[in-house]
Amino acid sequence: MYRQTVPDLSHVFSCNRPSSLRPSSLVSLCLAACIASISAPSEGQRAPQKVLVAAVERAPLIERLPLSGTLTAPRYANLTTRLSGSVDSMSVDVGSQVDAGEPLLQLDEKLAQLELARIESALRRAEILQADAERLVEEARELTRSNNISQTEFDSRAALASAEGAVVEQLRSERDTRKEQLQRHTLRAPYAGVIAEKMTEVGEWVREDTPVLALAQMDPLYIDIRVPQRYAGRLRSGSELSFGLSSLGSEPRSAKIERTVPVSDPATRTFLVRAVVANPDWALLPGMSIRAELPLAGGDEADALQVPADAIVRRSDGSSLVWRVREANGATAVEPVSIQIGREVGSRVEVITDELGPGDRVVTLGNESLVAGQAIAIE
């Protein structure tokens, strides 16, 4: 037979007490004090549990394919000068950011300047001779009307004026050619980007077919991903993928799939998917490795109530729940919501319940030891 053991309270009765209290009353007071001293703290007295939360969403539950990719520059050019010559100066180095049209390299142009000056001087002299010849033609025309000059003389003066005009046109064309050659002594950036490589130095002689600088475009960038051929029919141009840098702590970004290249690589049985990502702050660099999730078409794309997989708490009896965040009396606490699990796609899980709706928040980290009504601190 089970017998309950009553603790020895004799020491309680030995304490000083007012004579007006009966022994039975004193026993009751002491028992209450003992029970209060050993009772567990209430839930409201628990320290707030630090947690992470996420919003409940109603959206198509689209299967996503996780793959690695590489950022590449849409344009990467080995720049060459348009003339042979000695490098007189350079205004950039490896890593320099340049705008379209910005001067990068200057060839020695002294001889070209002297040649242009010579031609311009010859052109001014030819224009004077042309003007004088045209004046003589006008005088001869007046004299011809009064029969004071022969037709032969008039024709001779007109031929001379025409010849002087031809000389002027030739020199003007040559002047324009020399001006263009002078401009070609300056190498300018064909587009905005960053200098990726420098292949020459001041004082070196370069030829038209010798690369001197490499220029990589920085905005936008391409994301190139090799996709297994079994997904060939499930990727759509124009859809958006999400990606992050392979380095830890990077924020997720989005990019639009521009095209899929249907030619498969026979060695790896993959094909190329290319997306475009804006990079106005040049925070992304060509050559960086990224982690991407590509949306796959062809599944059930109906709207579904969904939460992150980390929000699901699976109990030993086979049931599941999530911890919903609620605000009450200025405090943030949690309450359990029983759910049924539907489809699971990647890190998203469809939940079936009437107690949750879009916009509700559920705990995704720190939900293993929560109890109903417990205060939380959202990080």
Side-chain angles (χ1 to χ4, degrees):
M1 180 177 179
Y2 176 80
R3 177 176 298 175
Q4 183 177 7
T5 302
V6 178
D8 183 11
L9 299 177
S10 61
H11 66 283
V12 175
F13 298 105
S14 66
C15 62
N16 294 329
R17 61 182 183 273
S19 59
S20 58
L21 290 176
R22 295 180 179 179
S24 60
S25 300
L26 183 59
V27 171
S28 299
L29 289 174
C30 290
L31 285 173
C34 291
I35 293 171
S37 65
I38 63 174
S39 63
S42 65
E43 297 303 335
Q45 294 173 328
R46 287 176 178 262
Q49 172 75 32
K50 294 183 178 180
V51 299
L52 295 180
V53 302
V56 178
E57 298 179 359
R58 185 178 295 279
L61 197 61
I62 300 175
E63 183 179 357
R64 294 183 176 273
L65 177 65
L67 289 171
S68 297
T70 304
L71 292 171
T72 61
R75 289 189 285 184
Y76 186 98
N78 290 323
L79 305 181
T80 63
T81 59
R82 294 187 288 176
L83 294 172
S84 297
S86 175
V87 179
D88 186 61
S89 64
M90 297 186 70
S91 56
V92 295
D93 205 338
V94 175
S96 297
Q97 298 180 3
V98 299
D99 296 324
E102 182 176 336
L104 310 177
L105 176 147
Q106 181 68 48
L107 297 178
D108 183 7
E109 59 183 19
K110 186 174 182 180
L111 291 178
Q113 290 175 338
L114 292 174
E115 184 64 18
L116 177 61
R118 183 189 68 78
I119 292 174
E120 287 180 334
S121 177
L123 175 60
R124 287 192 295 272
R125 183 171 61 254
E127 288 175 339
I128 292 173
L129 293 175
Q130 180 192 24
D132 186 61
E134 289 178 348
R135 179 182 58 79
L136 293 177
V137 169
E138 289 299 321
E139 291 179 354
R141 183 175 287 109
E142 293 295 329
L143 293 173
T144 300
R145 294 192 185 100
S146 59
N147 294 321
N148 289 326
I149 191 174
S150 66
Q151 185 65 38
T152 301
E153 181 66 20
F154 174 80
D155 293 341
S156 177
R157 292 186 181 184
L160 179 60
S162 178
E164 294 294 346
V167 171
V168 168
E169 291 299 322
Q170 180 180 357
L171 289 173
R172 285 176 178 171
S173 176
E174 192 170 349
R175 177 202 59 186
D176 294 342
T177 300
R178 296 299 179 181
K179 282 185 175 180
E180 177 63 26
Q181 288 179 342
L182 187 61
Q183 291 180 358
R184 294 190 177 197
H185 282 71
T186 303
L187 175 62
R188 298 182 180 274
Y191 49 85
V194 64
I195 301 299
E197 191 175 356
K198 180 180 176 183
M199 301 101 150
T200 190
E201 291 291 346
V202 174
E204 289 187 352
W205 182 270
V206 296
R207 297 171 53 87
E208 302 98 314
D209 56 353
T210 304
V212 293
L213 295 168
L215 179 63
Q217 182 179 341
M218 295 294 293
D219 182 30
L221 292 179
Y222 284 153
I223 298 177
D224 287 346
I225 304 172
R226 304 301 306 190
V227 179
Q229 65 181 11
R230 63 180 176 274
Y231 299 105
R234 302 184 61 187
L235 292 170
R236 297 176 179 173
S237 297
S239 59
E240 288 195 354
L241 59 82
S242 60
F243 75 96
L245 299 181
S246 293
S247 56
L248 296 178
S250 63
E251 292 294 327
R253 298 189 179 210
S254 62
K256 182 171 291 187
I257 296 177
E258 184 181 66
R259 65 176 69 96
T260 59
V261 181
V263 179
S264 177
D265 184 345
T268 60
R269 305 299 181 188
T270 60
F271 63 96
L272 177 67
V273 171
R274 172 165 286 174
V276 180
V277 57
N279 189 33
D281 55 358
W282 291 17
L284 304 175
L285 300 176
M288 282 184 168
S289 175
I290 59 98
R291 307 180 314 274
E293 289 188 350
L294 284 70
L296 297 177
D300 184 358
E301 299 181 10
D303 285 353
L305 195 67
Q306 55 184 277
V307 298
D310 291 338
I312 307 295
V313 178
R314 303 175 191 264
R315 295 183 288 198
S316 58
D317 61 359
S319 61
S320 300
L321 63 83
V322 295
W323 289 99
R324 177 170 56 190
V325 178
R326 60 178 177 84
E327 305 285 344
N329 300 323
T332 304
V334 292
E335 60 183 0
V337 176
S338 297
I339 61 167
Q340 291 183 359
I341 295 177
R343 295 167 294 160
E344 299 185 37
V345 176
S347 62
R348 307 294 295 181
V349 178
E350 179 185 12
V351 294
I352 303 171
T353 178
D354 294 331
E355 299 183 51
L356 288 177
D360 286 343
R361 293 180 297 168
V362 293
V363 178
T364 58
L365 182 63
N367 52 2
E368 298 85 0
S369 58
L370 294 175
V371 296
Q374 181 175 349
I376 59 171
I378 299 174
E379 294 186 329

